Amino acid sequence: MSLLNDDLLRDFKEQKEMIYQQIELFDPLGTQLRQPAAVRLVSKGALITAEIICYLLAAGSIAFAVFMNRIYPFYILSEIRTDKSYSNLGWQNIEYFNLAIYGLVGISTILFYLIGRCMRQIRLKNDILHVAGKNMKELVAQHLRRKASIEIIEQRHFVELPPLPYEVADVNKVPNPGY
């Protein structure tokens, strides 16, 4: 029976140490993950707004590429391409310039789309961090309740019990018989 008691006492003390270590680990993490709801909503709203703006800019860039020949300063590109009076510039140079303009519009379209996707991923990661912070807070609360129950049990029973044989005596706690 004493072997069972020793094992139960050892397990109880190991649980106590584990609870204290986990509280030390989880409490700062939970505090950092949790932020006020107003800050989270503002940043979520800003991310959604930025995401929508980036998608609209990407769609606008595509529309710009389609209607470039009809927009004021850019209709000159089609005129340079078709008008014979600009042939002294060189046919290849005109084509390369035209392709460069369309290439820039295409690259800007791709970049706006990629920025929008990045904003979406950031928003989704923030949602995951919010859930993790909420769960971490609940976990710390459970650990604190367990710590309180361990301390109550320890105060109620462990004052009467002798230390386990495997525990090393602390030099500062051993009374000095010569003093």
Side-chain angles (χ1 to χ4, degrees):
M1 190 67 167
S2 70
L3 206 57
L4 177 63
N5 281 342
D6 289 346
D7 288 342
L8 289 175
L9 288 174
R10 185 179 301 118
D11 182 53
F12 183 77
K13 289 188 179 191
E14 287 174 2
Q15 284 184 19
K16 178 183 171 187
E17 290 174 16
M18 181 189 68
I19 290 292
Y20 280 105
Q21 289 172 354
Q22 286 182 351
I23 287 175
E24 286 179 19
L25 185 76
F26 291 150
D27 195 28
L29 184 62
T31 304
Q32 288 179 352
L33 285 175
R34 292 291 291 169
Q35 53 179 309
V39 173
R40 191 178 63 253
L41 287 176
V42 168
S43 66
K44 187 174 184 175
L47 286 173
I48 289 172
T49 304
E51 180 183 352
I52 290 171
I53 288 172
C54 286
Y55 288 145
L56 288 175
L57 285 172
S61 295
I62 292 172
F64 175 70
V66 171
F67 295 111
M68 190 184 306
N69 293 337
R70 296 185 184 126
I71 297 175
Y72 167 62
F74 297 100
Y75 73 91
I76 296 172
L77 290 174
S78 64
E79 286 184 11
I80 291 174
R81 196 170 177 198
T82 57
D83 195 0
K84 299 293 183 200
S85 63
Y86 296 108
S87 62
N88 61 351
L89 296 174
W91 178 79
Q92 266 187 331
N93 291 335
I94 293 172
E95 285 300 315
Y96 287 153
F97 182 67
N98 204 10
L99 288 175
I101 297 296
Y102 278 105
L104 287 174
V105 171
I107 289 172
S108 67
T109 302
I110 291 169
L111 289 177
F112 282 133
Y113 180 75
L114 290 177
I115 291 171
R117 294 294 295 175
C118 289
M119 293 292 177
R120 180 178 185 275
Q121 288 176 351
I122 291 170
R123 184 174 48 86
L124 293 177
K125 285 179 186 177
N126 284 348
D127 290 343
I128 291 170
L129 286 174
H130 169 67
V131 171
K134 180 179 166 187
N135 292 339
M136 191 67 66
K137 185 178 178 182
E138 291 176 13
L139 186 65
V140 169
Q142 290 173 355
H143 277 26
L144 288 174
R145 284 193 296 271
R146 178 69 181 142
K147 176 184 170 186
S149 66
I150 285 174
E151 288 176 353
I152 289 171
I153 291 171
E154 199 171 43
Q155 288 174 357
R156 188 179 305 154
H157 297 290
F158 275 51
V159 174
E160 304 163 0
L161 296 175
L164 294 173
Y166 68 88
E167 292 180 340
V168 179
D170 188 12
V171 176
N172 294 326
K173 292 184 180 180
V174 176
N176 188 351
Y179 181 71

mmCIF file of all heavy atoms in Angstrom, residues 54-92:
data_model
loop_
_atom_site.group_PDB
_atom_site.id
_atom_site.type_symbol
_atom_site.label_atom_id
_atom_site.label_comp_id
_atom_site.label_asym_id
_atom_site.label_seq_id
_atom_site.Cartn_x
_atom_site.Cartn_y
_atom_site.Cartn_z
ATOM 1 N N CYS A 54 -7.441 46.201 -53.986
ATOM 2 C CA CYS A 54 -6.442 45.544 -54.847
ATOM 3 C C CYS A 54 -7.116 44.734 -55.958
ATOM 4 O O CYS A 54 -6.664 44.756 -57.110
ATOM 5 C CB CYS A 54 -5.526 44.660 -54.016
ATOM 6 S SG CYS A 54 -4.340 45.600 -53.033
ATOM 7 N N TYR A 55 -8.195 44.019 -55.622
ATOM 8 C CA TYR A 55 -8.905 43.262 -56.658
ATOM 9 C C TYR A 55 -9.534 44.200 -57.690
ATOM 10 O O TYR A 55 -9.530 43.914 -58.889
ATOM 11 C CB TYR A 55 -9.982 42.368 -56.045
ATOM 12 C CG TYR A 55 -9.432 41.177 -55.284
ATOM 13 C CD1 TYR A 55 -10.069 40.703 -54.154
ATOM 14 C CD2 TYR A 55 -8.284 40.504 -55.693
ATOM 15 C CE1 TYR A 55 -9.586 39.611 -53.457
ATOM 16 C CE2 TYR A 55 -7.785 39.425 -55.019
ATOM 17 C CZ TYR A 55 -8.443 38.973 -53.891
ATOM 18 O OH TYR A 55 -7.958 37.896 -53.211
ATOM 19 N N LEU A 56 -10.080 45.325 -57.218
ATOM 20 C CA LEU A 56 -10.653 46.293 -58.155
ATOM 21 C C LEU A 56 -9.577 46.913 -59.038
ATOM 22 O O LEU A 56 -9.804 47.141 -60.236
ATOM 23 C CB LEU A 56 -11.409 47.388 -57.391
ATOM 24 C CG LEU A 56 -12.730 46.966 -56.745
ATOM 25 C CD1 LEU A 56 -13.307 48.104 -55.921
ATOM 26 C CD2 LEU A 56 -13.722 46.491 -57.791
ATOM 27 N N LEU A 57 -8.413 47.175 -58.469
ATOM 28 C CA LEU A 57 -7.317 47.713 -59.281
ATOM 29 C C LEU A 57 -6.840 46.692 -60.314
ATOM 30 O O LEU A 57 -6.507 47.063 -61.443
ATOM 31 C CB LEU A 57 -6.155 48.152 -58.383
ATOM 32 C CG LEU A 57 -6.365 49.446 -57.610
ATOM 33 C CD1 LEU A 57 -5.232 49.656 -56.608
ATOM 34 C CD2 LEU A 57 -6.476 50.624 -58.560
ATOM 35 N N ALA A 58 -6.835 45.418 -59.956
ATOM 36 C CA ALA A 58 -6.452 44.378 -60.915
ATOM 37 C C ALA A 58 -7.478 44.314 -62.050
ATOM 38 O O ALA A 58 -7.109 44.251 -63.237
ATOM 39 C CB ALA A 58 -6.329 43.029 -60.228
ATOM 40 N N ALA A 59 -8.764 44.347 -61.691
ATOM 41 C CA ALA A 59 -9.802 44.331 -62.724
ATOM 42 C C ALA A 59 -9.739 45.610 -63.568
ATOM 43 O O ALA A 59 -9.917 45.567 -64.798
ATOM 44 C CB ALA A 59 -11.180 44.190 -62.074
ATOM 45 N N GLY A 60 -9.463 46.742 -62.911
ATOM 46 C CA GLY A 60 -9.326 48.000 -63.646
ATOM 47 C C GLY A 60 -8.139 47.978 -64.594
ATOM 48 O O GLY A 60 -8.199 48.561 -65.682
ATOM 49 N N SER A 61 -7.070 47.316 -64.200
ATOM 50 C CA SER A 61 -5.906 47.214 -65.092
ATOM 51 C C SER A 61 -6.237 46.391 -66.330
ATOM 52 O O SER A 61 -5.789 46.719 -67.438
ATOM 53 C CB SER A 61 -4.733 46.579 -64.352
ATOM 54 O OG SER A 61 -4.306 47.408 -63.305
ATOM 55 N N ILE A 62 -7.022 45.342 -66.144
ATOM 56 C CA ILE A 62 -7.440 44.530 -67.300
ATOM 57 C C ILE A 62 -8.326 45.368 -68.226
ATOM 58 O O ILE A 62 -8.150 45.368 -69.451
ATOM 59 C CB ILE A 62 -8.163 43.253 -66.837
ATOM 60 C CG1 ILE A 62 -7.176 42.327 -66.133
ATOM 61 C CG2 ILE A 62 -8.808 42.531 -68.014
ATOM 62 C CD1 ILE A 62 -7.811 41.133 -65.458
ATOM 63 N N ALA A 63 -9.272 46.094 -67.613
ATOM 64 C CA ALA A 63 -10.146 46.957 -68.420
ATOM 65 C C ALA A 63 -9.328 48.048 -69.116
ATOM 66 O O ALA A 63 -9.596 48.399 -70.273
ATOM 67 C CB ALA A 63 -11.223 47.579 -67.533
ATOM 68 N N PHE A 64 -8.329 48.572 -68.440
ATOM 69 C CA PHE A 64 -7.458 49.587 -69.033
ATOM 70 C C PHE A 64 -6.723 49.033 -70.245
ATOM 71 O O PHE A 64 -6.602 49.705 -71.272
ATOM 72 C CB PHE A 64 -6.468 50.090 -67.980
ATOM 73 C CG PHE A 64 -5.459 51.052 -68.506
ATOM 74 C CD1 PHE A 64 -5.833 52.328 -68.894
ATOM 75 C CD2 PHE A 64 -4.133 50.683 -68.620
ATOM 76 C CE1 PHE A 64 -4.897 53.214 -69.386
ATOM 77 C CE2 PHE A 64 -3.191 51.566 -69.105
ATOM 78 C CZ PHE A 64 -3.582 52.841 -69.492
ATOM 79 N N ALA A 65 -6.242 47.786 -70.124
ATOM 80 C CA ALA A 65 -5.528 47.180 -71.253
ATOM 81 C C ALA A 65 -6.464 46.986 -72.446
ATOM 82 O O ALA A 65 -6.057 47.157 -73.597
ATOM 83 C CB ALA A 65 -4.916 45.840 -70.835
ATOM 84 N N VAL A 66 -7.725 46.642 -72.179
ATOM 85 C CA VAL A 66 -8.685 46.424 -73.268
ATOM 86 C C VAL A 66 -9.061 47.751 -73.936
ATOM 87 O O VAL A 66 -9.128 47.838 -75.164
ATOM 88 C CB VAL A 66 -9.948 45.703 -72.734
ATOM 89 C CG1 VAL A 66 -11.041 45.661 -73.792
ATOM 90 C CG2 VAL A 66 -9.588 44.297 -72.278
ATOM 91 N N PHE A 67 -9.280 48.773 -73.137
ATOM 92 C CA PHE A 67 -9.754 50.053 -73.677
ATOM 93 C C PHE A 67 -8.644 51.097 -73.810
ATOM 94 O O PHE A 67 -8.932 52.294 -73.947
ATOM 95 C CB PHE A 67 -10.869 50.621 -72.785
ATOM 96 C CG PHE A 67 -12.097 49.773 -72.783
ATOM 97 C CD1 PHE A 67 -12.460 49.065 -71.643
ATOM 98 C CD2 PHE A 67 -12.884 49.665 -73.910
ATOM 99 C CE1 PHE A 67 -13.589 48.290 -71.628
ATOM 100 C CE2 PHE A 67 -14.025 48.890 -73.909
ATOM 101 C CZ PHE A 67 -14.371 48.186 -72.762
ATOM 102 N N MET A 68 -7.398 50.685 -73.802
ATOM 103 C CA MET A 68 -6.286 51.631 -73.859
ATOM 104 C C MET A 68 -6.316 52.472 -75.130
ATOM 105 O O MET A 68 -5.959 53.653 -75.108
ATOM 106 C CB MET A 68 -4.951 50.895 -73.747
ATOM 107 C CG MET A 68 -3.778 51.828 -73.557
ATOM 108 S SD MET A 68 -2.169 51.053 -73.535
ATOM 109 C CE MET A 68 -2.302 49.814 -72.317
ATOM 110 N N ASN A 69 -6.757 51.909 -76.223
ATOM 111 C CA ASN A 69 -6.777 52.635 -77.495
ATOM 112 C C ASN A 69 -7.809 53.757 -77.508
ATOM 113 O O ASN A 69 -7.776 54.617 -78.391
ATOM 114 C CB ASN A 69 -7.056 51.680 -78.652
ATOM 115 C CG ASN A 69 -5.917 50.710 -78.838
ATOM 116 O OD1 ASN A 69 -4.794 50.986 -78.441
ATOM 117 N ND2 ASN A 69 -6.209 49.565 -79.431
ATOM 118 N N ARG A 70 -8.737 53.764 -76.552
ATOM 119 C CA ARG A 70 -9.793 54.781 -76.529
ATOM 120 C C ARG A 70 -9.588 55.814 -75.421
ATOM 121 O O ARG A 70 -10.386 56.735 -75.293
ATOM 122 C CB ARG A 70 -11.138 54.100 -76.324
ATOM 123 C CG ARG A 70 -11.491 53.199 -77.484
ATOM 124 C CD ARG A 70 -12.878 52.635 -77.333
ATOM 125 N NE ARG A 70 -13.129 51.706 -78.406
ATOM 126 C CZ ARG A 70 -13.528 50.474 -78.242
ATOM 127 N NH1 ARG A 70 -13.713 50.001 -77.045
ATOM 128 N NH2 ARG A 70 -13.740 49.705 -79.281
ATOM 129 N N ILE A 71 -8.565 55.656 -74.601
ATOM 130 C CA ILE A 71 -8.322 56.578 -73.486
ATOM 131 C C ILE A 71 -7.353 57.655 -73.962
ATOM 132 O O ILE A 71 -6.405 57.368 -74.699
ATOM 133 C CB ILE A 71 -7.769 55.797 -72.273
ATOM 134 C CG1 ILE A 71 -8.823 54.789 -71.802
ATOM 135 C CG2 ILE A 71 -7.415 56.734 -71.136
ATOM 136 C CD1 ILE A 71 -8.352 53.888 -70.699
ATOM 137 N N TYR A 72 -7.559 58.886 -73.490
ATOM 138 C CA TYR A 72 -6.920 60.079 -74.041
ATOM 139 C C TYR A 72 -5.414 59.966 -74.315
ATOM 140 O O TYR A 72 -5.043 60.019 -75.470
ATOM 141 C CB TYR A 72 -7.219 61.292 -73.160
ATOM 142 C CG TYR A 72 -6.348 62.474 -73.480
ATOM 143 C CD1 TYR A 72 -6.395 63.072 -74.731
ATOM 144 C CD2 TYR A 72 -5.455 62.967 -72.549
ATOM 145 C CE1 TYR A 72 -5.584 64.136 -75.036
ATOM 146 C CE2 TYR A 72 -4.648 64.039 -72.840
ATOM 147 C CZ TYR A 72 -4.719 64.622 -74.078
ATOM 148 O OH TYR A 72 -3.915 65.673 -74.383
ATOM 149 N N PRO A 73 -4.543 59.852 -73.337
ATOM 150 C CA PRO A 73 -3.142 59.931 -73.766
ATOM 151 C C PRO A 73 -2.656 58.659 -74.450
ATOM 152 O O PRO A 73 -1.674 58.687 -75.194
ATOM 153 C CB PRO A 73 -2.367 60.189 -72.478
ATOM 154 C CG PRO A 73 -3.244 59.744 -71.383
ATOM 155 C CD PRO A 73 -4.639 59.796 -71.886
ATOM 156 N N PHE A 74 -3.350 57.546 -74.257
ATOM 157 C CA PHE A 74 -2.839 56.270 -74.757
ATOM 158 C C PHE A 74 -3.337 55.921 -76.164
ATOM 159 O O PHE A 74 -2.843 54.985 -76.770
ATOM 160 C CB PHE A 74 -3.202 55.138 -73.788
ATOM 161 C CG PHE A 74 -2.566 55.315 -72.446
ATOM 162 C CD1 PHE A 74 -3.275 55.825 -71.377
ATOM 163 C CD2 PHE A 74 -1.233 54.998 -72.255
ATOM 164 C CE1 PHE A 74 -2.684 55.998 -70.150
ATOM 165 C CE2 PHE A 74 -0.635 55.170 -71.024
ATOM 166 C CZ PHE A 74 -1.361 55.680 -69.969
ATOM 167 N N TYR A 75 -4.301 56.667 -76.697
ATOM 168 C CA TYR A 75 -4.761 56.395 -78.063
ATOM 169 C C TYR A 75 -3.648 56.714 -79.070
ATOM 170 O O TYR A 75 -3.663 56.237 -80.197
ATOM 171 C CB TYR A 75 -6.040 57.191 -78.390
ATOM 172 C CG TYR A 75 -5.832 58.658 -78.606
ATOM 173 C CD1 TYR A 75 -5.581 59.158 -79.885
ATOM 174 C CD2 TYR A 75 -5.893 59.553 -77.543
ATOM 175 C CE1 TYR A 75 -5.385 60.512 -80.084
ATOM 176 C CE2 TYR A 75 -5.700 60.897 -77.739
ATOM 177 C CZ TYR A 75 -5.447 61.381 -79.008
ATOM 178 O OH TYR A 75 -5.263 62.720 -79.208
ATOM 179 N N ILE A 76 -2.678 57.502 -78.634
ATOM 180 C CA ILE A 76 -1.551 57.849 -79.513
ATOM 181 C C ILE A 76 -0.753 56.597 -79.875
ATOM 182 O O ILE A 76 -0.187 56.510 -80.967
ATOM 183 C CB ILE A 76 -0.660 58.907 -78.839
ATOM 184 C CG1 ILE A 76 -1.467 60.194 -78.649
ATOM 185 C CG2 ILE A 76 0.593 59.177 -79.625
ATOM 186 C CD1 ILE A 76 -0.754 61.241 -77.836
ATOM 187 N N LEU A 77 -0.725 55.617 -78.977
ATOM 188 C CA LEU A 77 0.003 54.376 -79.272
ATOM 189 C C LEU A 77 -0.548 53.693 -80.526
ATOM 190 O O LEU A 77 0.220 53.231 -81.373
ATOM 191 C CB LEU A 77 -0.079 53.417 -78.077
ATOM 192 C CG LEU A 77 0.696 53.818 -76.831
ATOM 193 C CD1 LEU A 77 0.403 52.852 -75.697
ATOM 194 C CD2 LEU A 77 2.178 53.849 -77.131
ATOM 195 N N SER A 78 -1.867 53.618 -80.621
ATOM 196 C CA SER A 78 -2.441 52.989 -81.821
ATOM 197 C C SER A 78 -2.215 53.861 -83.054
ATOM 198 O O SER A 78 -2.034 53.343 -84.164
ATOM 199 C CB SER A 78 -3.927 52.700 -81.623
ATOM 200 O OG SER A 78 -4.632 53.906 -81.463
ATOM 201 N N GLU A 79 -2.242 55.187 -82.883
ATOM 202 C CA GLU A 79 -1.976 56.071 -84.022
ATOM 203 C C GLU A 79 -0.536 55.934 -84.503
ATOM 204 O O GLU A 79 -0.274 55.921 -85.705
ATOM 205 C CB GLU A 79 -2.267 57.522 -83.650
ATOM 206 C CG GLU A 79 -3.737 57.850 -83.566
ATOM 207 C CD GLU A 79 -3.965 59.327 -83.280
ATOM 208 O OE1 GLU A 79 -3.002 60.135 -83.360
ATOM 209 O OE2 GLU A 79 -5.115 59.680 -82.974
ATOM 210 N N ILE A 80 0.401 55.859 -83.569
ATOM 211 C CA ILE A 80 1.807 55.690 -83.953
ATOM 212 C C ILE A 80 1.986 54.372 -84.690
ATOM 213 O O ILE A 80 2.741 54.278 -85.662
ATOM 214 C CB ILE A 80 2.723 55.748 -82.708
ATOM 215 C CG1 ILE A 80 2.752 57.144 -82.120
ATOM 216 C CG2 ILE A 80 4.136 55.301 -83.032
ATOM 217 C CD1 ILE A 80 3.512 57.254 -80.815
ATOM 218 N N ARG A 81 1.255 53.394 -84.261
ATOM 219 C CA ARG A 81 1.388 52.065 -84.855
ATOM 220 C C ARG A 81 0.820 52.018 -86.273
ATOM 221 O O ARG A 81 1.361 51.318 -87.142
ATOM 222 C CB ARG A 81 0.653 51.075 -83.954
ATOM 223 C CG ARG A 81 0.987 49.678 -84.175
ATOM 224 C CD ARG A 81 0.378 48.861 -83.067
ATOM 225 N NE ARG A 81 0.629 47.466 -83.314
ATOM 226 C CZ ARG A 81 -0.010 46.486 -82.776
ATOM 227 N NH1 ARG A 81 -0.950 46.746 -81.891
ATOM 228 N NH2 ARG A 81 0.265 45.268 -83.067
ATOM 229 N N THR A 82 -0.285 52.728 -86.522
ATOM 230 C CA THR A 82 -0.957 52.647 -87.829
ATOM 231 C C THR A 82 -0.583 53.777 -88.788
ATOM 232 O O THR A 82 -0.682 53.607 -90.005
ATOM 233 C CB THR A 82 -2.490 52.648 -87.648
ATOM 234 O OG1 THR A 82 -2.868 53.817 -86.920
ATOM 235 C CG2 THR A 82 -2.944 51.412 -86.910
ATOM 236 N N ASP A 83 -0.183 54.906 -88.290
ATOM 237 C CA ASP A 83 0.119 56.063 -89.151
ATOM 238 C C ASP A 83 1.484 55.877 -89.817
ATOM 239 O O ASP A 83 2.476 55.555 -89.169
ATOM 240 C CB ASP A 83 0.110 57.340 -88.308
ATOM 241 C CG ASP A 83 0.047 58.598 -89.159
ATOM 242 O OD1 ASP A 83 0.018 58.475 -90.396
ATOM 243 O OD2 ASP A 83 0.026 59.691 -88.560
ATOM 244 N N LYS A 84 1.519 56.110 -91.125
ATOM 245 C CA LYS A 84 2.744 55.912 -91.903
ATOM 246 C C LYS A 84 3.771 57.028 -91.686
ATOM 247 O O LYS A 84 4.943 56.847 -91.970
ATOM 248 C CB LYS A 84 2.415 55.830 -93.410
ATOM 249 C CG LYS A 84 1.516 54.692 -93.768
ATOM 250 C CD LYS A 84 2.220 53.373 -93.537
ATOM 251 C CE LYS A 84 1.298 52.239 -93.980
ATOM 252 N NZ LYS A 84 1.653 50.990 -93.417
ATOM 253 N N SER A 85 3.315 58.149 -91.146
ATOM 254 C CA SER A 85 4.254 59.256 -90.954
ATOM 255 C C SER A 85 5.254 58.975 -89.821
ATOM 256 O O SER A 85 6.296 59.622 -89.747
ATOM 257 C CB SER A 85 3.496 60.557 -90.661
ATOM 258 O OG SER A 85 2.786 60.443 -89.452
ATOM 259 N N TYR A 86 4.946 58.021 -88.980
ATOM 260 C CA TYR A 86 5.865 57.652 -87.892
ATOM 261 C C TYR A 86 6.745 56.465 -88.271
ATOM 262 O O TYR A 86 7.432 55.912 -87.424
ATOM 263 C CB TYR A 86 5.068 57.295 -86.621
ATOM 264 C CG TYR A 86 4.294 58.459 -86.055
ATOM 265 C CD1 TYR A 86 2.914 58.506 -86.164
ATOM 266 C CD2 TYR A 86 4.954 59.499 -85.412
ATOM 267 C CE1 TYR A 86 2.193 59.561 -85.642
ATOM 268 C CE2 TYR A 86 4.233 60.560 -84.892
ATOM 269 C CZ TYR A 86 2.859 60.583 -85.002
ATOM 270 O OH TYR A 86 2.154 61.634 -84.497
ATOM 271 N N SER A 87 6.766 56.107 -89.519
ATOM 272 C CA SER A 87 7.554 54.944 -89.942
ATOM 273 C C SER A 87 9.054 55.186 -89.816
ATOM 274 O O SER A 87 9.835 54.235 -89.750
ATOM 275 C CB SER A 87 7.193 54.548 -91.370
ATOM 276 O OG SER A 87 7.513 55.605 -92.241
ATOM 277 N N ASN A 88 9.453 56.451 -89.772
ATOM 278 C CA ASN A 88 10.885 56.732 -89.620
ATOM 279 C C ASN A 88 11.409 56.351 -88.226
ATOM 280 O O ASN A 88 12.610 56.272 -88.018
ATOM 281 C CB ASN A 88 11.183 58.204 -89.927
ATOM 282 C CG ASN A 88 10.443 59.140 -88.985
ATOM 283 O OD1 ASN A 88 9.588 58.721 -88.225
ATOM 284 N ND2 ASN A 88 10.769 60.410 -89.089
ATOM 285 N N LEU A 89 10.507 56.106 -87.247
ATOM 286 C CA LEU A 89 10.912 55.655 -85.914
ATOM 287 C C LEU A 89 11.343 54.188 -85.923
ATOM 288 O O LEU A 89 12.037 53.754 -85.012
ATOM 289 C CB LEU A 89 9.767 55.834 -84.910
ATOM 290 C CG LEU A 89 9.317 57.264 -84.636
ATOM 291 C CD1 LEU A 89 8.096 57.259 -83.732
ATOM 292 C CD2 LEU A 89 10.444 58.056 -83.997
ATOM 293 N N GLY A 90 10.931 53.494 -86.898
ATOM 294 C CA GLY A 90 11.267 52.080 -86.999
ATOM 295 C C GLY A 90 10.105 51.214 -86.531
ATOM 296 O O GLY A 90 9.559 51.412 -85.448
ATOM 297 N N TRP A 91 9.730 50.273 -87.380
ATOM 298 C CA TRP A 91 8.583 49.413 -87.081
ATOM 299 C C TRP A 91 8.822 48.589 -85.820
ATOM 300 O O TRP A 91 7.929 48.458 -84.981
ATOM 301 C CB TRP A 91 8.336 48.506 -88.287
ATOM 302 C CG TRP A 91 7.207 47.556 -88.063
ATOM 303 C CD1 TRP A 91 5.889 47.842 -88.158
ATOM 304 C CD2 TRP A 91 7.306 46.195 -87.675
ATOM 305 N NE1 TRP A 91 5.140 46.737 -87.866
ATOM 306 C CE2 TRP A 91 6.006 45.692 -87.565
ATOM 307 C CE3 TRP A 91 8.366 45.326 -87.418
ATOM 308 C CZ2 TRP A 91 5.723 44.389 -87.198
ATOM 309 C CZ3 TRP A 91 8.092 44.028 -87.062
ATOM 310 C CH2 TRP A 91 6.776 43.573 -86.955
ATOM 311 N N GLN A 92 10.016 48.057 -85.666
ATOM 312 C CA GLN A 92 10.325 47.243 -84.488
ATOM 313 C C GLN A 92 10.290 48.071 -83.215
ATOM 314 O O GLN A 92 9.780 47.607 -82.191
ATOM 315 C CB GLN A 92 11.704 46.597 -84.634
ATOM 316 C CG GLN A 92 11.654 45.209 -85.198
ATOM 317 C CD GLN A 92 13.047 44.592 -85.139
ATOM 318 O OE1 GLN A 92 14.036 45.303 -85.201
ATOM 319 N NE2 GLN A 92 13.091 43.295 -85.056
#
